[in-house]
Every structure is written in C-alpha cells, then in structure tokens.
C-alpha cells in the first residue's frame, strides 16, 4: 500500500472559479478530438515516466505519496508552452495551446502514474515474491512456498492491463449525477481546474512562468545534491549522508537522524502540517519509547537470540502494530464515508441540502456567472458517452479478466473473479462519492477488504496468493473510478469535453500499463528491493503478505502480548478519529492521523525528521510571506522531489553496470585510548 496524504477539504464557490473562466466565453472551445493532440500525448508520456519513477521511489521507501497533480498541470503547461513559443519564433504556425489541451495532459499523466501506486508494485504484487516469503520465514505458519510468484515484466503488464480499465467503465453513466446534480466538490479536481484556468490568463501565465522557474531551480539543486551524495555512499548501507548521525549516535541507533533527502523534505513541504506532525509523533511513540521498551523484554516476551527480521521477535511487533493502526484508521474512515454518502444521497432524494456543493449565485448581479454555469453544463453534456458502450465495455473486460486471472494466479478461480466484479461497481461508487465529499480515496482500504474475504474463502490451499490478487482487483477498480470522476470535475470546470476526459484516461491508463511496470523493473534489476537493510525496504510488501496470512491462519502465532498491543492501537486509531471528528475545531486540528502515524512504526524515524524539516520550512515561510508560500511552495516541493527522482535513473544505470561509489563516509564513536 501507498499512503496518499489527504488534502484539506475546503468548500470552493463559483465566484472563485469564474474569476478565471469568464475569459473562456470569448474563446472557441475545440472539438473533443482537437483537445487530444500528438504533442500533448508525447508530453504526457514523458511526465508519466518521470512521475512513475518518483512514485515507485516513494512507494518502495516510505509508502507516503503526495499528490503530484499540481506538478503535472504545471509541467504540462511549461513543456507545451515552451514548444509553441519556440516554433512560433522560427516562423511556423502552431495550434494554440488551450486550457482543454492542458487538462487532457494533466489527466493523462495522473492516470499513468496512478498505476504505479494502485498497481501494487510496492505492496500486494511485491508481497508475492520469494524475497518477502523468505523474510517472513519458510517455517512461519501459513507462509507457503506455493504462494510465491516472483515479479515478471510480462505477467505484471498483463495483470495491470486486465484490471486497470474496469474502473473507467464502471461509473461513466453516473458522471452527470455526480458532477452536475450532486455537485460534489472533488477539492483536488477543483483546485487543479483553478490552476489550469489561471495559466491561460495573462496574469496567470506570468505566475506560471515564475513557478516553473522556481521548480527548475530546485530541481537542479536537488539533482546535483543527489549526485554529490552518491560519491560518498560507498558499498553497503551504512555509508554516506543517508546515514549521517545528525542528532547524535545514540538517537541514530534508534533511527532518529536527518538524512538530507530532497524527496522527503519536498514531501514535507507539499503534505499538510498535520500529516508531517503525525508521522513524527508516530516515530516518537514507536522508536522513542515502545520498541526500546520491548527490547528490554527480550528473553521474557520473546526469545533473545532471534534475528532482527524474525517475526517471532521485535520485528513481529513492528509489523503487526503498524497493521493494527492502518486497519483501525481505514475501517473508521470507510464506515464514516459510506455513512456520509448514504445520508447525503438520502437527503438529495428528498431535498437539495446539507451537501458540500459548489454554490450557485443566481441574483441579478451574477447573471454572467449563471451564464457560465449553463455553458459548462452544455459543454459537459455535448459529447455523450453512451451507457450501452460503458456497460458493454465492462462486461467484455470482466469476461477477459475471468479467463486470464486464473492463468496468472491459479488459486483465484473464475467465479471468485466474477463475484469481485459484481460488487466492485458499488464499492467504486462509494469510493468516488466519498472522494468527492472528503477528497480522500480509500482504495487501499477496499483492497484490504477484498484481500481478507478472498483469502479466508480460499483457505490454506492458495489463500494467500488469491487474497493478494483480489486485493489488486478491488484496489485498481475503485482507485481508477475515483480518479476518473475527479477528472470529470476538472474537465467540467475547464470547459473540456467529457469524451476527451474519458479518452485521455484510457490513453493514460494504457501508457501506465506499460510505463509503470518498466520503471519498476528498472528498480528491481538495479537495487535490492524488499530487504530490511536496503534503502528500498518496500515496507508494505511484508505488511500485505502478513495480512493475507492472517486472513487464512488467524492470530495464533503472534509474539507474546502482541495481540493485546494490536488491539490497543486499533482502538487508539478509532478514538483518535472520533476525537478528530467530534471535538471542537481548535482541538481537532491538532489530533494526529493514525494512518500517517503507522508508517514509521515499521520503517524508522529518519524520514519523519526529513518531512518535519519540510513542514517547519513551510510554516516559517507562511509566517514571513503567506502569499509567496501559497504560490511557490508546491513548485519548490515538486522540484526537490523531481530532481531526486531524476537522479534515480543514472543511479540505477550505474548500479546495473556495477559501478560503485568511490568513497564510504562512515561515522562512529571516537576511540578512547
């Protein structure tokens, strides 16, 4: 699983949107086919590749993936605008770059890199491999060698092609209901639309130029710094700036140190303050108090002579307590969002109220805004996507999946695949509706539900492999359905055709089915993925396999007091969520998020320090110049993340060629003679 950081859910009103979209009334809106251009697809493929690499790196290291939608829209604007300006200066005529084409590029890029997350390359797919199997232990109850499937480029591409398109067809008939009738806000989609609209105005284009300049500067700094760090990283995992005991050797032993990672500092800049503080709080609880205390109980609670990666020892506590926090938070938010959705639908069926709608102002002074609203409705409904086409596409894809999934994963029988696809549209609707209300996609939670159900149904004879595959089916469908509906909202607000949005999602998904496995394969062949001492620990691979084993075997093999600790932290996750929802706002905003707290329990505290540095920088920046922070923080963060991500490519090539860094910078205590 990757944990996508939640964005703040704010109500966005029509005047804010129309300040930038009134100019579009004098623009000629291109036909849907003209909104999808060759140059746009080329840019989408390039940015999709870059963002897939970044997503894989984050997924394989810490599992926290910030939203890169803003960077996709910004870089899409920069590349195409630069190309059109350059060609115009040469005296050639080029088609104008419109907001609709910008929206298509952003949609295509997000669909592409989204598969690097929902494709399970750092979670359920990787948990099937032999390395994860050996890490848990061949003698561990329920961990069978028959439930191993090592990564393979061809079968991974086939699997993703089979499961990734169904979500796009599942909710297409409901686009008018979700976007126009329920008027769901989809805050990230609305914010992206505002950004794209602002780029295509005179003042917005100037700000965009400055943002791109800032992004480029920090991208260069990040790339050069990552290259510089490589020279001191030596052979092994104990050298270089990544192991710099910046807070002292004692804290370093408990993983508390700043490792000078531009990626994690960038994540801290782009994630909300509460997410970063929650991660640090989780690190302090686990590595500051809980694990050191449990270590003192070695020989009492668990055998003292166990290896550091033995699940019957401290390692088991780390994994299962993290699972408890994740499941508690996921279950609470699932029930909450389903309840909100059902209540909102019920209210909507009786009278239009109590929904976080986009407000319509209809008095005489805002008649132009009302006219713009009507124009959006007309454009959105103009290019219809027939219901029969969506239904037929879904049925055909289900039939293909029923035939191919058992070939890839023999324990997952065709009738289990069929059952999954029968209930998937309902879950996709719940996730899409909840995302529209709260801006939080719970795709991984729905995936875990599928994992537990199928694993328990299949049982000991292949239940682990079948459960992990079913997790991928559910996770892919509900994630792509929510992404599509959010893109429909963005297209609606930028006067883009619904058909061009759907086609660009299809094209972006097809790109992702090729690019995401290829970029993952670069990591797989260049680095030791999934080992505890590797920079690419793939923390959720272990967690997902253990979840599948729990679905089959139960809790009998947990270390002493581990189940009690798990129950306590599960309850704590529920209590924290209740306090966040029902306490006064001035109190609730300081309550940590359990899902974010869980990540350092297993991985370590070092990245929490980095992210906290990022959030402190942003906090001070906001106090000094709030307007500049709002305008440029996202660009700076994206530059830091992208620069470090780009360095991954030459780093991987050097690793494949067996070129080692020349220097090992190592720190140890001074020797007292």
């Amino acid at each position: 699983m990757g944990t996508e950081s939640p964005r703040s859910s704010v109500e966005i009103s029509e005047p804010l949107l129309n300040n930038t979209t009134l100019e579009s009334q004098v623009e000629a809106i291109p036909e849907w086919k003209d909104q999808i251009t060759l140059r746009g697809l080329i840019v989408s493929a390039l940015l999709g590749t870059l963002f897939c690499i970044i997503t894989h790196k984050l997924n394989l290291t810490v599992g926290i993936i910030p939203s890169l939608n803003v960077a996709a829209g910004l870089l899409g604007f920069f590349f195409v605008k630069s190309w059109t300006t350059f060609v115009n200066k040469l005296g050639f005529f080029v088609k104008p770059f419109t907001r609709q084409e910008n929206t298509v590029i952003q949609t295509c890029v997000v669909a592409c890199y989204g598969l690097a997350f929902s494709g399970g390359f750092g979670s359920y797919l990787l948990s099937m491999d032999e390395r994860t199997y050996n890490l848990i232990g061949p003698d561990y109850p329920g961990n069978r060698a028959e439930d191993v499937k090592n990564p393979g480029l061809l079968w991974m591409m086939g699997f993703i092609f089979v499961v990734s398109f169904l979500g796009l067809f599942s909710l297409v008939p409901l686009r008018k209901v979700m976007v126009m009738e329920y008027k769901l806000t989809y805050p990230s989609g609305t914010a992206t639309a505002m950004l794209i609209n602002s780029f295509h105005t005179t003042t917005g284009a100037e700000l965009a130029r400055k943002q791109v300049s800032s992004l480029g500067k920090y991208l260069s700094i990040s790339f050069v710094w990552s290259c510089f760090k490589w020279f001191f990283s030596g052979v092994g995992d104990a050298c270089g700036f990544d192991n710099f005991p910046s807070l002292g050797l004692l804290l370093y032993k408990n993983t508390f140190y700043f490792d000078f990672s531009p990626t994690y500092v960038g994540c801290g800049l782009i994630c909300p303050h509460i997410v970063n503080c929650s991660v640090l709080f989780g690190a302090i609880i686990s590595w500051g108090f809980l694990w050191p205390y449990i270590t003192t109980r070695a020989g009492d609670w668990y055998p003292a002579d166990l290896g550091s990666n033995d699940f019957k020892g401290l390692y088991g506590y780390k994994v299962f307590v993290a699972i408890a926090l994740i499941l508690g938070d996921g279950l609470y938010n699932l029930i909450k969002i389903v309840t909100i959705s059902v209540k909102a639908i019920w209210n909507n069926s009786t009278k239009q109220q109590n929904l976080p709608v986009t407000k319509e102002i209809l008095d005489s002074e805002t008649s132009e805004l009302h006219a713009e609203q009507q124009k959006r409705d007309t454009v959105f409904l103009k290019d219809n996507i027939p219901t029969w086409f969506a239904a037929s596409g879904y049925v055909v894809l289900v039939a293909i999946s029923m035939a191919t999934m058992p070939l890839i994963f023999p324990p997952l029988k065709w009738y289990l695949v069929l059952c999954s696809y029968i209930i998937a549209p309902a879950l996709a609707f719940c996730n899409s509706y909840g995302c529209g209300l709260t801006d939080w996609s719970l795709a991984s939670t729905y995936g875990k539900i599928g994992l537990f159900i199928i694993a328990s149904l299949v049982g000991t004879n292949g239940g682990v492999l079948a459960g992990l595959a079913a997790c991928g089916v559910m996770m892919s469908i509900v994630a792509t359905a929510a992404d599509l509906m959010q893109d429909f909202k963005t297209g609606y607000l930028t006067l883009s055709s619904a058909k061009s949005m759907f086609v660009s999602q299809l094209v972006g998904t097809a790109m992702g089915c090729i690019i995401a496995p290829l970029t993952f394969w670069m990591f797989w062949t260049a680095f030791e993925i999934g080992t505890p001492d590797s920079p690419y620990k793939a923390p959720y691979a272990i967690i997902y396999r253990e979840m599948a084993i729990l679905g089959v075997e139960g809790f009998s093999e947990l270390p002493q007091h581990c189940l009690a600790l798990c129950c306590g932290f599960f309850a704590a996750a529920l209590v924290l969520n209740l306090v966040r929802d029902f306490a006064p706002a001035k109190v609730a905003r300081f309550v940590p998020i359990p899902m974010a707290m869980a990540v350092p329990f297993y991985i370590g505290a070092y990245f929490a320090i980095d992210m906290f540095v990022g959030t402190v920088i942003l906090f001070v920046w906001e106090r000094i110049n709030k307007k500049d922070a709002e305008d440029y923080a996202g660009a700076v963060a994206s530059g830091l993340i992208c620069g470090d991500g780009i360095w991954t490519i030459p780093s991987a090539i050097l690793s494949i060629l067996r070129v080692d860094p020349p220097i090992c910078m190592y720190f140890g205590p001074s020797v007292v003679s």
Side-chain angles (χ1 to χ4, degrees):
M1 182 193 78
T3 303
E4 289 192 284
S5 60
R7 280 78 65 187
S8 57
S9 180
V10 295
E11 188 174 277
I12 298 177
S13 62
E14 286 291 321
L16 286 175
L17 297 168
N18 283 283
N19 284 340
T20 55
T21 59
L22 279 173
E23 293 185 14
S24 64
Q25 292 183 345
V26 298
E27 292 179 2
I29 299 175
E31 292 295 320
W32 76 268
K33 292 181 181 178
D34 296 328
Q35 296 174 20
I36 304 171
T37 63
L38 178 62
R39 67 189 180 192
L41 295 179
I42 293 172
V43 169
S44 298
L46 292 173
L47 293 179
T49 301
L50 172 61
F51 287 177
C52 276
I53 291 171
I54 293 169
T55 303
H56 285 315
K57 181 170 183 178
L58 291 171
N59 220 1
L60 294 171
T61 50
V62 296
I64 293 180
I65 304 169
S67 174
L68 299 174
N69 295 28
V70 170
L74 181 61
L75 288 173
F77 174 83
F78 166 69
F79 281 121
V80 178
K81 197 69 174 178
S82 299
W83 169 254
T84 55
T85 302
F86 174 73
V87 173
N88 275 327
K89 287 183 177 179
L90 294 179
F92 297 100
F93 173 77
V94 291
K95 287 174 58 178
F97 181 43
T98 63
R99 70 189 70 216
Q100 289 79 17
E101 186 180 355
N102 204 160
T103 304
V104 165
I105 292 171
Q106 186 268 342
T107 299
C108 206
V109 172
V110 171
C112 180
Y113 91 79
L115 291 187
F117 166 67
S118 63
F121 297 100
S123 54
Y124 59 85
L125 282 189
L126 201 57
S127 63
M128 302 176 185
D129 82 321
E130 187 174 2
R131 197 171 289 161
T132 305
Y133 161 77
N134 287 326
L135 195 58
I136 293 176
D139 59 340
Y140 191 85
N143 189 37
R144 305 187 322 142
E146 292 82 358
D147 290 320
V148 169
K149 190 172 184 65
N150 286 313
L153 195 56
L154 293 180
W155 78 255
M156 289 191 302
M157 283 185 179
F159 169 73
I160 294 178
F161 263 110
V162 166
V163 301
S164 297
F165 289 93
L166 282 121
L168 303 181
F169 288 90
S170 61
L171 295 186
V172 166
L174 297 178
R175 66 193 182 283
K176 179 183 175 184
V177 174
M178 306 281 269
V179 174
M180 291 177 56
E181 294 181 13
Y182 288 170
K183 299 183 184 297
L184 297 173
T185 50
Y186 290 99
S188 287
T190 301
T192 303
M194 293 175 62
L195 179 76
I196 291 173
N197 282 331
S198 71
F199 287 166
H200 296 270
T201 63
T202 304
T203 55
E206 177 62 22
L207 176 60
R209 186 189 64 77
K210 293 179 180 178
Q211 288 173 329
V212 168
S213 175
S214 179
L215 187 150
K217 179 172 71 174
Y218 284 93
L219 184 151
S220 302
I221 292 172
S222 176
F223 180 85
V224 171
W225 172 247
S226 298
C227 176
F228 176 77
K229 285 203 307 178
W230 178 84
F231 284 94
F232 297 90
S233 57
V235 178
D237 303 307
C239 304
F241 287 94
D242 290 341
N243 295 277
F244 193 100
S246 47
L247 301 177
L249 290 172
L250 180 60
L251 287 176
Y252 173 78
K253 291 179 180 178
N254 285 329
T255 72
F256 282 95
Y257 58 92
F258 178 65
D259 72 347
F260 299 91
S261 169
T263 294
Y264 302 150
V265 174
C267 287
L269 279 167
I270 209 170
C271 289
H273 292 305
I274 187 60
V275 171
N276 301 315
C277 293
S278 298
V279 171
L280 182 62
F281 184 58
I284 292 171
I285 289 176
S286 55
W287 291 91
F289 297 100
L290 187 58
W291 305 150
Y293 172 75
I294 293 178
T295 301
T296 65
R297 311 304 296 176
D300 181 12
W301 289 11
Y302 60 92
D305 57 347
L306 296 178
S308 61
N309 301 321
D310 195 313
F311 273 87
K312 296 177 183 177
L314 179 63
Y315 196 65
Y317 293 96
K318 294 178 183 178
V319 171
F320 287 107
V321 171
I323 289 174
L325 273 173
I326 291 167
L327 290 180
D329 188 70
L331 180 63
Y332 178 90
N333 281 287
L334 175 63
I335 295 172
K336 170 187 169 183
I337 288 178
V338 170
T339 303
I340 291 173
S341 300
V342 170
K343 183 179 178 181
I345 293 170
W346 175 259
N347 289 339
N348 190 71
S349 65
T350 55
K351 53 184 178 179
Q352 291 278 349
Q353 65 175 23
N354 296 330
L355 277 172
V357 300
T358 303
K359 293 183 179 179
E360 296 182 38
I361 315 270
L362 301 177
D363 57 41
S364 59
E365 295 181 1
T366 56
S367 58
E368 288 186 357
L369 303 183
H370 181 47
E372 181 70 15
Q373 171 77 46
Q374 291 179 319
K375 185 175 184 180
R376 284 202 202 100
D377 293 348
T378 302
V379 171
F380 191 68
L381 297 175
K382 177 184 175 184
D383 297 313
N384 188 38
I385 304 170
T387 300
W388 66 263
F389 174 76
S392 301
Y394 191 82
V395 170
V396 169
L397 289 170
V398 168
I400 294 172
S401 187
M402 287 170 58
T404 56
M405 288 290 284
L407 298 177
I408 302 174
F409 306 107
L412 188 64
K413 304 301 182 184
W414 67 267
Y415 50 86
L416 295 174
V417 177
L418 178 61
C419 291
S420 299
Y421 287 138
I422 289 174
I423 65 173
L427 298 180
F429 173 80
C430 291
N431 191 48
S432 298
Y433 201 103
C435 186
L437 292 171
T438 65
D439 206 31
W440 198 324
S441 174
L442 296 178
S444 57
T445 302
Y446 289 103
K448 295 187 194 80
I449 292 172
L451 183 154
F452 281 114
I453 292 173
I454 298 300
S456 61
L457 287 175
V458 176
T460 55
N461 190 22
V464 171
L465 197 61
L468 292 169
C471 173
V473 170
M474 287 295 185
M475 191 168 163
S476 296
I477 290 175
V478 299
T480 52
D483 287 345
L484 175 66
M485 209 54 64
Q486 185 151 258
D487 287 330
F488 275 143
K489 180 70 173 185
T490 302
Y492 173 75
L493 296 173
T494 57
L495 296 174
S496 302
S497 166
K499 189 173 288 186
S500 70
M501 291 291 94
F502 182 70
V503 172
S504 62
Q505 270 277 351
L506 288 175
V507 173
T509 301
M511 287 180 180
C513 289
I514 298 171
I515 293 172
L518 282 174
T519 48
F520 169 77
W521 200 249
M522 178 189 73
F523 281 90
W524 180 257
T525 54
F527 307 108
E528 286 291 318
I529 303 297
T531 57
D533 298 326
S534 166
Y536 299 97
K537 296 178 176 65
Y540 287 107
I542 289 283
I543 288 175
Y544 269 70
R545 190 171 184 90
E546 280 290 352
M547 286 181 183
I549 293 173
L550 283 178
V552 174
E553 294 289 327
F555 301 94
S556 59
E557 293 300 320
L558 296 182
Q560 188 177 359
H561 302 302
C562 185
L563 182 59
L565 283 171
C566 290
C567 292
F569 277 94
F570 183 90
L574 299 179
V575 171
L576 287 173
N577 276 294
L578 285 169
V579 174
R580 282 179 59 83
D581 284 342
F582 294 102
K586 62 182 180 180
V587 175
R589 66 194 185 99
F590 294 111
V591 177
I593 300 170
M595 188 78 76
M597 288 175 56
V599 181
F601 270 68
Y602 171 67
I603 299 171
Y606 59 92
F607 80 96
I609 303 295
D610 293 358
M611 292 181 67
F612 189 71
V613 168
T615 210
V616 168
I617 292 171
L618 179 61
F619 181 82
V620 173
W621 193 357
E622 288 172 336
R623 292 299 178 274
I624 296 173
N625 192 327
K626 188 174 181 63
K627 181 67 168 59
D628 269 5
E630 290 176 352
D631 288 343
Y632 298 106
V636 171
S638 299
L640 291 173
I641 294 170
C642 290
D644 199 21
I646 292 172
W647 168 249
T648 302
I649 300 174
S651 174
I653 294 172
L654 290 170
S655 179
I656 292 170
L657 297 175
R658 299 294 182 259
V659 178
D660 296 322
I663 303 170
C664 173
M665 183 173 68
Y666 175 77
F667 298 89
S670 57
V671 178
V672 179
S673 56

